[in-house]
mmCIF file of all heavy atoms in Angstrom:
data_model
loop_
_atom_site.group_PDB
_atom_site.id
_atom_site.type_symbol
_atom_site.label_atom_id
_atom_site.label_comp_id
_atom_site.label_asym_id
_atom_site.label_seq_id
_atom_site.Cartn_x
_atom_site.Cartn_y
_atom_site.Cartn_z
ATOM 1 N N ALA R 1 18.799 82.833 -94.025
ATOM 2 C CA ALA R 1 20.243 83.090 -94.110
ATOM 3 C C ALA R 1 20.776 83.666 -92.806
ATOM 4 O O ALA R 1 21.896 83.346 -92.381
ATOM 5 C CB ALA R 1 20.524 84.041 -95.276
ATOM 6 N N PHE R 2 19.975 84.498 -92.149
ATOM 7 C CA PHE R 2 20.406 85.113 -90.888
ATOM 8 C C PHE R 2 20.646 84.050 -89.815
ATOM 9 O O PHE R 2 21.690 84.037 -89.149
ATOM 10 C CB PHE R 2 19.349 86.123 -90.430
ATOM 11 C CG PHE R 2 19.598 86.674 -89.063
ATOM 12 C CD1 PHE R 2 20.560 87.650 -88.866
ATOM 13 C CD2 PHE R 2 18.868 86.211 -87.965
ATOM 14 C CE1 PHE R 2 20.795 88.161 -87.595
ATOM 15 C CE2 PHE R 2 19.105 86.717 -86.701
ATOM 16 C CZ PHE R 2 20.069 87.694 -86.517
ATOM 17 N N PHE R 3 19.699 83.152 -89.640
ATOM 18 C CA PHE R 3 19.845 82.126 -88.609
ATOM 19 C C PHE R 3 20.942 81.133 -88.962
ATOM 20 O O PHE R 3 21.704 80.695 -88.091
ATOM 21 C CB PHE R 3 18.519 81.397 -88.394
ATOM 22 C CG PHE R 3 17.599 82.104 -87.442
ATOM 23 C CD1 PHE R 3 16.545 82.880 -87.914
ATOM 24 C CD2 PHE R 3 17.783 82.014 -86.079
ATOM 25 C CE1 PHE R 3 15.699 83.538 -87.043
ATOM 26 C CE2 PHE R 3 16.933 82.662 -85.200
ATOM 27 C CZ PHE R 3 15.899 83.428 -85.679
ATOM 28 N N VAL R 4 21.048 80.763 -90.224
ATOM 29 C CA VAL R 4 22.085 79.804 -90.627
ATOM 30 C C VAL R 4 23.468 80.420 -90.452
ATOM 31 O O VAL R 4 24.403 79.755 -89.986
ATOM 32 C CB VAL R 4 21.851 79.337 -92.070
ATOM 33 C CG1 VAL R 4 23.026 78.489 -92.559
ATOM 34 C CG2 VAL R 4 20.563 78.527 -92.161
ATOM 35 N N LEU R 5 23.634 81.681 -90.831
ATOM 36 C CA LEU R 5 24.918 82.342 -90.622
ATOM 37 C C LEU R 5 25.247 82.454 -89.136
ATOM 38 O O LEU R 5 26.410 82.319 -88.727
ATOM 39 C CB LEU R 5 24.899 83.728 -91.268
ATOM 40 C CG LEU R 5 24.994 83.771 -92.795
ATOM 41 C CD1 LEU R 5 24.855 85.195 -93.300
ATOM 42 C CD2 LEU R 5 26.319 83.171 -93.261
ATOM 43 N N GLY R 6 24.235 82.709 -88.318
ATOM 44 C CA GLY R 6 24.464 82.740 -86.873
ATOM 45 C C GLY R 6 24.917 81.384 -86.340
ATOM 46 O O GLY R 6 25.824 81.303 -85.501
ATOM 47 N N LEU R 7 24.288 80.322 -86.844
ATOM 48 C CA LEU R 7 24.694 78.975 -86.445
ATOM 49 C C LEU R 7 26.123 78.680 -86.888
ATOM 50 O O LEU R 7 26.920 78.124 -86.118
ATOM 51 C CB LEU R 7 23.728 77.949 -87.032
ATOM 52 C CG LEU R 7 22.360 77.829 -86.369
ATOM 53 C CD1 LEU R 7 21.420 76.993 -87.219
ATOM 54 C CD2 LEU R 7 22.501 77.201 -84.982
ATOM 55 N N LEU R 8 26.447 79.034 -88.119
ATOM 56 C CA LEU R 8 27.797 78.788 -88.619
ATOM 57 C C LEU R 8 28.834 79.579 -87.829
ATOM 58 O O LEU R 8 29.923 79.071 -87.529
ATOM 59 C CB LEU R 8 27.882 79.153 -90.103
ATOM 60 C CG LEU R 8 27.138 78.220 -91.059
ATOM 61 C CD1 LEU R 8 27.235 78.742 -92.496
ATOM 62 C CD2 LEU R 8 27.696 76.806 -90.978
ATOM 63 N N ALA R 9 28.509 80.832 -87.500
ATOM 64 C CA ALA R 9 29.445 81.644 -86.724
ATOM 65 C C ALA R 9 29.682 81.035 -85.341
ATOM 66 O O ALA R 9 30.825 80.926 -84.885
ATOM 67 C CB ALA R 9 28.912 83.067 -86.594
ATOM 68 N N ALA R 10 28.606 80.618 -84.663
ATOM 69 C CA ALA R 10 28.755 79.997 -83.342
ATOM 70 C C ALA R 10 29.522 78.685 -83.436
ATOM 71 O O ALA R 10 30.367 78.379 -82.580
ATOM 72 C CB ALA R 10 27.377 79.766 -82.720
ATOM 73 N N PHE R 11 29.251 77.913 -84.485
ATOM 74 C CA PHE R 11 29.943 76.632 -84.668
ATOM 75 C C PHE R 11 31.431 76.838 -84.910
ATOM 76 O O PHE R 11 32.278 76.168 -84.299
ATOM 77 C CB PHE R 11 29.304 75.882 -85.838
ATOM 78 C CG PHE R 11 29.999 74.603 -86.198
ATOM 79 C CD1 PHE R 11 29.753 73.444 -85.493
ATOM 80 C CD2 PHE R 11 30.900 74.561 -87.248
ATOM 81 C CE1 PHE R 11 30.393 72.260 -85.819
ATOM 82 C CE2 PHE R 11 31.547 73.385 -87.587
ATOM 83 C CZ PHE R 11 31.290 72.232 -86.873
ATOM 84 N N ILE R 12 31.783 77.766 -85.785
ATOM 85 C CA ILE R 12 33.190 77.982 -86.133
ATOM 86 C C ILE R 12 33.965 78.541 -84.947
ATOM 87 O O ILE R 12 35.088 78.099 -84.652
ATOM 88 C CB ILE R 12 33.290 78.920 -87.351
ATOM 89 C CG1 ILE R 12 32.730 78.219 -88.600
ATOM 90 C CG2 ILE R 12 34.738 79.346 -87.597
ATOM 91 C CD1 ILE R 12 32.641 79.117 -89.818
ATOM 92 N N VAL R 13 33.388 79.515 -84.244
ATOM 93 C CA VAL R 13 34.074 80.089 -83.084
ATOM 94 C C VAL R 13 34.288 79.033 -81.996
ATOM 95 O O VAL R 13 35.382 78.920 -81.417
ATOM 96 C CB VAL R 13 33.277 81.291 -82.540
ATOM 97 C CG1 VAL R 13 33.845 81.759 -81.206
ATOM 98 C CG2 VAL R 13 33.291 82.435 -83.540
ATOM 99 N N SER R 14 33.273 78.245 -81.725
ATOM 100 C CA SER R 14 33.396 77.208 -80.693
ATOM 101 C C SER R 14 34.397 76.141 -81.101
ATOM 102 O O SER R 14 35.198 75.678 -80.279
ATOM 103 C CB SER R 14 32.034 76.579 -80.422
ATOM 104 O OG SER R 14 31.092 77.546 -80.007
ATOM 105 N N LEU R 15 34.369 75.752 -82.374
ATOM 106 C CA LEU R 15 35.303 74.727 -82.847
ATOM 107 C C LEU R 15 36.738 75.252 -82.813
ATOM 108 O O LEU R 15 37.664 74.508 -82.448
ATOM 109 C CB LEU R 15 34.925 74.300 -84.260
ATOM 110 C CG LEU R 15 35.772 73.162 -84.864
ATOM 111 C CD1 LEU R 15 35.643 71.901 -84.010
ATOM 112 C CD2 LEU R 15 35.339 72.875 -86.294
ATOM 113 N N PHE R 16 36.936 76.495 -83.179
ATOM 114 C CA PHE R 16 38.282 77.084 -83.116
ATOM 115 C C PHE R 16 38.789 77.122 -81.676
ATOM 116 O O PHE R 16 39.961 76.824 -81.407
ATOM 117 C CB PHE R 16 38.260 78.492 -83.714
ATOM 118 C CG PHE R 16 39.587 79.194 -83.649
ATOM 119 C CD1 PHE R 16 40.584 78.898 -84.558
ATOM 120 C CD2 PHE R 16 39.833 80.143 -82.668
ATOM 121 C CE1 PHE R 16 41.818 79.542 -84.495
ATOM 122 C CE2 PHE R 16 41.064 80.787 -82.586
ATOM 123 C CZ PHE R 16 42.059 80.486 -83.516
ATOM 124 N N TYR R 17 37.922 77.469 -80.745
ATOM 125 C CA TYR R 17 38.308 77.491 -79.328
ATOM 126 C C TYR R 17 38.658 76.084 -78.842
ATOM 127 O O TYR R 17 39.657 75.888 -78.137
ATOM 128 C CB TYR R 17 37.166 78.069 -78.503
ATOM 129 C CG TYR R 17 37.445 78.123 -77.021
ATOM 130 C CD1 TYR R 17 38.187 79.163 -76.482
ATOM 131 C CD2 TYR R 17 36.956 77.137 -76.169
ATOM 132 C CE1 TYR R 17 38.445 79.219 -75.114
ATOM 133 C CE2 TYR R 17 37.210 77.185 -74.809
ATOM 134 C CZ TYR R 17 37.955 78.230 -74.290
ATOM 135 O OH TYR R 17 38.213 78.256 -72.937
ATOM 136 N N ALA R 18 37.851 75.089 -79.232
ATOM 137 C CA ALA R 18 38.119 73.712 -78.825
ATOM 138 C C ALA R 18 39.435 73.216 -79.425
ATOM 139 O O ALA R 18 40.221 72.538 -78.749
ATOM 140 C CB ALA R 18 36.963 72.807 -79.242
ATOM 141 N N LEU R 19 39.700 73.542 -80.689
ATOM 142 C CA LEU R 19 40.957 73.139 -81.319
ATOM 143 C C LEU R 19 42.150 73.792 -80.631
ATOM 144 O O LEU R 19 43.200 73.162 -80.454
ATOM 145 C CB LEU R 19 40.937 73.503 -82.802
ATOM 146 C CG LEU R 19 40.061 72.626 -83.703
ATOM 147 C CD1 LEU R 19 40.011 73.203 -85.112
ATOM 148 C CD2 LEU R 19 40.573 71.195 -83.733
ATOM 149 N N ASN R 20 41.996 75.039 -80.248
ATOM 150 C CA ASN R 20 43.082 75.737 -79.551
ATOM 151 C C ASN R 20 43.392 75.056 -78.219
ATOM 152 O O ASN R 20 44.561 74.827 -77.872
ATOM 153 C CB ASN R 20 42.683 77.195 -79.333
ATOM 154 C CG ASN R 20 43.794 78.005 -78.693
ATOM 155 O OD1 ASN R 20 44.969 77.724 -78.911
ATOM 156 N ND2 ASN R 20 43.440 78.998 -77.910
ATOM 157 N N LYS R 21 42.369 74.712 -77.459
ATOM 158 C CA LYS R 21 42.575 74.026 -76.190
ATOM 159 C C LYS R 21 43.114 72.617 -76.403
ATOM 160 O O LYS R 21 43.911 72.113 -75.589
ATOM 161 C CB LYS R 21 41.267 73.982 -75.403
ATOM 162 C CG LYS R 21 40.765 75.349 -74.953
ATOM 163 C CD LYS R 21 41.781 76.032 -74.068
ATOM 164 C CE LYS R 21 41.278 77.387 -73.602
ATOM 165 N NZ LYS R 21 42.285 78.089 -72.745
ATOM 166 N N PHE R 22 42.690 71.978 -77.484
ATOM 167 C CA PHE R 22 43.187 70.635 -77.788
ATOM 168 C C PHE R 22 44.683 70.663 -78.088
ATOM 169 O O PHE R 22 45.447 69.831 -77.582
ATOM 170 C CB PHE R 22 42.411 70.068 -78.975
ATOM 171 C CG PHE R 22 42.983 68.794 -79.522
ATOM 172 C CD1 PHE R 22 42.828 67.598 -78.840
ATOM 173 C CD2 PHE R 22 43.677 68.794 -80.713
ATOM 174 C CE1 PHE R 22 43.353 66.421 -79.339
ATOM 175 C CE2 PHE R 22 44.212 67.624 -81.225
ATOM 176 C CZ PHE R 22 44.053 66.434 -80.533
ATOM 177 N N VAL R 23 45.111 71.618 -78.893
ATOM 178 C CA VAL R 23 46.539 71.739 -79.219
ATOM 179 C C VAL R 23 47.346 72.062 -77.969
ATOM 180 O O VAL R 23 48.435 71.519 -77.743
ATOM 181 C CB VAL R 23 46.742 72.810 -80.308
ATOM 182 C CG1 VAL R 23 48.223 73.082 -80.529
ATOM 183 C CG2 VAL R 23 46.091 72.370 -81.609
ATOM 184 N N SER R 24 46.816 72.945 -77.121
ATOM 185 C CA SER R 24 47.511 73.296 -75.881
ATOM 186 C C SER R 24 47.641 72.088 -74.954
ATOM 187 O O SER R 24 48.708 71.852 -74.363
ATOM 188 C CB SER R 24 46.758 74.426 -75.175
ATOM 189 O OG SER R 24 47.359 74.744 -73.941
ATOM 190 N N SER R 25 46.580 71.297 -74.835
ATOM 191 C CA SER R 25 46.635 70.104 -73.983
ATOM 192 C C SER R 25 47.594 69.069 -74.542
ATOM 193 O O SER R 25 48.372 68.462 -73.790
ATOM 194 C CB SER R 25 45.233 69.506 -73.847
ATOM 195 O OG SER R 25 44.319 70.437 -73.296
ATOM 196 N N ALA R 26 47.563 68.865 -75.849
ATOM 197 C CA ALA R 26 48.470 67.894 -76.469
ATOM 198 C C ALA R 26 49.924 68.322 -76.297
ATOM 199 O O ALA R 26 50.806 67.490 -76.054
ATOM 200 C CB ALA R 26 48.124 67.741 -77.948
#
């Protein structure tokens, strides 16, 4: 659970950052 939660946290934070930059570029 520790490693999976770490993966999910890294995935969500990175995806949120990418979406933010995508909206700004669009």
Side-chain angles (χ1 to χ4, degrees):
F2 172 77
F3 275 100
V4 172
L5 286 176
L7 285 168
L8 289 177
F11 175 82
I12 293 173
V13 171
S14 302
L15 183 61
F16 178 79
Y17 179 82
L19 286 173
N20 184 31
K21 294 300 181 181
F22 170 74
V23 173
S24 177
S25 301

